[in-house]
Amino acid sequence: MDNSPAAGATVGVDVGGTFTDFVLFDPQRQQRFYHKQPSTPADPALAVSEGLQAILQKSHLPASALSLVLHGTTLGLNAIIQRRGADIALAITEGFRDVLEIARARMPSSFDFHADREAPFLPRRRVVEIPARFSPEGEVTQWPTEAALAQAAEELAALNVSAVALVTINGYANPAREAELAAELAARLGTVPVLSSAQLWPEIREYERTLVAGLNAYIQPLMQRYFTRLNTLLTGQGIQVPLLITASNGGVLPLDAAQQRPVDTLLSGPASGVTAASRLAAGRGFVSFDMGGTSSDISLSAEGEIERVNRTEIGGLPLILPVVGVSAIGAGGGSLVQVDEYGILKVGPESAGADPGPVAYRRGGTQPTLTDCYLVSGILSAENRLAGSIELDREAATRALQQTGETLGMEAAEVARGAIAVATAQMATELNKALAQRGLASDELTLIPFGGAGPTHANFFAAEAGLQRILVPLRPGTFCADGAIGADIRRDFVRSLRITLTAGSWSKIAATLEELHQLAEGWFTQQASRLSSRVDYGVEADMRYVGQAYELSVSLGSPQDVTLEQLRARFQQLHQQRYGFITPEATVELTTLRLYLNAALPQPEDKPFDAQTAHVAPASRPVFLAGGWTEAEIWQRENLRTDSTIHGPAVIEQDDTTTVILPGWTARPDAHGNLLIVRIPGGTA
């Protein structure tokens, strides 16, 4: 019997606040099956367990037919945002007790003297100083005596914490020695683990490295309890297959690796969506557009490759780990519509969330949201259940928008149209900024919308931003779960050097590359070799001109191909592209080397889309657009044929979303069942 991952079905899981999404791919039938299970916040693993049973029943497969479960969750991210992680302590070099309080000494808003900075996730009373530090070259300049170690351990034990993060100044330059100190402390603390920050992520900038180590310890007990509970439930159902966890870098990690480093999984949901969008784009430039209940996120790609960045923000805290480049650009379906004190119509940033949700949900919401605007405009129908389960009250939404419009002298439908226009303008403005930073033109890219509200707002967004093509996935509501089953195993390794690019420094650069390569090969052998036999390696370098404060991240290809000349040339090329100039005679400094490992997993191979349904004439209903009320065709997506062509204004309904097609645009299914929407030459929205 073939026990390789390719032999059986794979399931992608994405745990959200309202729904847990499932996509099962059966390679024997080349067919996908979809399921949305209501989430169970009190016991998130229960929804995963029940949803897996439901999708196995839908696909008529036994548990033994599965080969892989690929799982994404925002559990760790939510714990950080809501500040409900574990009680942990920080042991740090003497004199640096206030590193989390001082942070980067910047206010969140330069022009708002009343703005509060983000509170540290760890209170100062749980920070203990220890006499240990290194020079920038990694030499020990201070080391604790037995008495100092005993005192530090005593202070840490008195705090009654579940874990300790250890950070020494310049520890990135000597990770092995800092790990020894962590082990000595752990030996004195008994069952309390001590995490070495330099072992976890040896990169310069102590504040950011402290956050990586601290956040990892902060969410590790929560994540380990969750994964243990999930494993127990799945084993009880006879599901005994490898469980892979989607990571922030767009790949997946074996369960053991994710338990050791849960900080690598914080952005797993959004990253999976971009992974799926990259696969759908098939080498073409794209803008992924994920519009959920609270916000809308985008990711850009010039040539269809996933854009990754080495710095992002989590709950107001900077994170220096490689992640898929996702940017929040505006409102979500639950964003509140209101009039400010100056009589200006605003959308967001406050959101009604899933509870109480929009007014139309009849769960206690009193302020209208964008979802209420879609309903009052006729884009959504009160006769259909949202996401297949939520009844909508159009009259309640109309009353709420009418009340909002009283101060503006506008009817409910006019307020709805205005709110949609305001949200769209915010999105287009943020997209244009992102395009300008990368030197991209909007008409060269395809918009790929997903999430519950993505396809609903996509055409408004595309028309405002100058995008010419929209590609709506077959199942937008479960797109992030779909991305999980198309991901590969990916793991990043890093070393900070702070070394100038000269012929004399090349030997150290080459030795560091070899060290990273050996680390990656060892990790692959231990963690992933049973799951994949195809592994590739790639290198990135952070470089800057000497004197600059921050670096540019340069992609360099495989470790064997990296040369001194390539390093210098690629940096100058990127500097010219990003800033419009170079200084050839200036000294270039390499601050950090990164090496990533990519181990290929079996990819779904879909059979050609063949919708042989009988022709079903569309219904119609009035929809309020820019020109007022107009009659729009109403199509059911399941009734679309490969030869169907739809001209706007039109609305296409399906159980997990609604797609709008504006006047001046046309739509048709492509060869894979995705909906291609294009602007008619000379047409207007």
Side-chain angles (χ1 to χ4, degrees), residues 28 146 160 323 383 404 509 535 564:
Q28 306 302 321
E146 287 294 321
N160 193 28
V323 301
E383 297 177 2
T404 301
I509 295 171
V535 60
L564 186 64

Side-chain angles (χ1 to χ4, degrees), residues 203-205 498 541-545 548-554 571 574 578-579 589-592 594:
E203 186 171 348
I204 59 172
R205 298 193 171 95
R498 301 185 70 174
D542 289 355
M543 291 185 282
R544 63 189 180 188
Y545 290 125
Q548 288 181 318
Y550 282 88
E551 304 82 12
L552 291 176
S553 236
V554 180
F571 169 72
L574 185 58
R578 188 67 55 88
Y579 300 121
E589 183 180 29
L590 190 156
T591 59
T592 300
R594 293 184 182 82

Side-chain angles (χ1 to χ4, degrees), residues 77-352:
L77 175 64
N78 292 339
I80 292 171
I81 292 174
Q82 298 168 15
R83 297 297 193 266
R84 55 179 181 83
D87 288 337
I88 66 167
L90 172 65
I92 195 165
T93 297
E94 281 182 339
F96 291 85
R97 187 181 183 189
D98 295 307
V99 64
L100 295 176
E101 301 284 340
I102 297 171
R104 284 293 166 193
R106 296 181 184 138
M107 293 299 292
S109 174
S110 302
F111 303 102
D112 185 356
F113 294 111
H114 301 286
D116 291 330
R117 67 181 181 83
E118 193 68 35
F121 73 97
L122 179 69
R124 188 176 186 269
R125 60 182 174 79
R126 293 211 299 266
V127 181
V128 171
E129 294 182 320
I130 188 167
R133 68 181 298 165
F134 300 88
S135 71
E137 293 73 34
E139 297 174 356
V140 175
T141 58
Q142 190 178 19
W143 197 256
T145 62
E146 287 294 321
L149 272 175
Q151 180 181 346
E154 183 179 344
E155 292 179 28
L156 290 168
L159 295 172
N160 193 28
V161 294
S162 58
V164 176
L166 171 67
V167 181
T168 58
I169 297 305
N170 295 321
Y172 68 86
N174 197 336
R177 199 79 168 95
E178 186 182 275
E180 289 179 18
L181 180 58
E184 291 184 29
L185 266 179
R188 288 168 169 78
L189 290 173
T191 60
V192 178
V194 179
L195 177 68
S196 162
S197 66
Q199 278 291 103
L200 181 70
W201 196 250
E203 186 171 348
I204 59 172
R205 298 193 171 95
E206 265 68 28
Y207 168 60
E208 287 82 358
R209 184 156 52 84
T210 300
L211 285 176
V212 170
L215 292 177
N216 194 79
Y218 189 60
I219 64 173
Q220 194 169 41
L222 171 71
M223 298 297 286
Q224 288 181 341
R225 285 196 302 270
Y226 169 73
F227 289 135
T228 300
R229 164 74 169 153
L230 180 59
N231 251 340
T232 301
L233 288 174
L234 298 190
T235 301
Q237 295 173 345
I239 300 175
Q240 299 183 6
V241 299
L243 177 61
L244 305 183
I245 311 303
T246 58
S248 306
N249 60 14
V252 293
L253 292 170
L255 179 60
D256 288 347
Q259 287 181 316
Q260 294 166 12
R261 299 168 56 98
V263 72
D264 287 334
T265 70
L266 290 176
L267 294 175
S268 63
S272 293
V274 179
T275 300
S278 175
R279 189 170 67 245
L280 194 63
R284 299 187 60 160
F286 69 86
V287 180
S288 73
F289 176 50
D290 182 3
M291 187 172 179
T294 303
S295 66
S296 298
D297 300 324
I298 62 165
S299 183
L300 301 180
S301 171
E303 298 176 350
E305 294 293 327
I306 296 173
E307 180 187 61
R308 292 179 173 85
V309 298
N310 296 315
R311 185 183 178 92
T312 190
E313 198 169 272
I314 300 291
L317 304 171
L319 188 70
I320 53 167
L321 292 173
V323 301
V324 169
V326 176
S327 305
I329 64 163
S335 294
L336 298 180
V337 177
Q338 50 198 322
V339 179
D340 68 11
E341 63 267 31
Y342 303 106
I344 298 174
L345 188 65
K346 300 284 189 181
V347 179
E350 297 85 1
S351 174

Side-chain angles (χ1 to χ4, degrees), residues 341-537:
E341 63 267 31
Y342 303 106
I344 298 174
L345 188 65
K346 300 284 189 181
V347 179
E350 297 85 1
S351 174
D355 188 14
V359 175
Y361 283 14
R362 291 184 294 191
R363 293 178 177 172
T366 57
Q367 287 186 270
T369 67
L370 271 181
T371 297
D372 296 305
C373 294
Y374 299 144
L375 182 61
V376 170
S377 298
I379 293 169
L380 299 180
S381 170
E383 297 177 2
N384 298 329
R385 291 174 180 262
L386 197 67
S389 63
I390 301 174
E391 292 185 0
L392 299 177
D393 187 340
R394 191 173 191 274
E395 292 183 1
T398 301
R399 288 194 299 269
L401 283 167
Q402 189 67 53
Q403 185 175 358
T404 301
E406 287 178 357
T407 58
L408 302 173
M410 299 168 65
E411 295 296 324
E414 294 174 321
V415 176
R417 183 186 64 188
I420 292 171
V422 169
T424 304
Q426 293 172 349
M427 295 173 184
T429 298
E430 293 303 317
L431 173 61
N432 288 332
K433 290 179 185 177
L435 291 171
Q437 290 171 348
R438 295 161 176 81
L440 300 176
S442 60
D443 58 3
E444 300 171 352
L445 306 176
T446 298
L447 183 67
I448 300 179
F450 51 96
T456 309
H457 209 96
N459 209 166
F460 297 106
F461 181 27
E464 180 75 15
L467 296 157
Q468 305 297 311
R469 289 167 42 94
I470 306 167
L471 192 59
V472 183
L474 186 63
R475 301 287 298 204
T478 53
F479 200 59
C480 289
D482 201 11
I485 63 175
D488 291 329
I489 295 171
R490 186 179 173 104
R491 172 79 154 79
D492 299 282
F493 301 84
V494 67
R495 284 288 183 273
S496 281
L497 292 177
R498 301 185 70 174
I499 192 170
T500 56
L501 284 185
T502 64
S505 65
W506 173 246
S507 60
K508 184 172 182 179
I509 295 171
T512 304
L513 278 175
E514 179 59 25
E515 178 190 356
L516 291 173
H517 194 192
Q518 293 296 325
L519 279 173
E521 286 188 331
W523 182 89
F524 174 75
T525 300
Q526 181 182 13
Q527 296 275 6
S529 57
R530 69 188 185 281
L531 299 170
S532 173
S533 58
R534 293 181 296 144
V535 60
D536 297 308
Y537 302 93

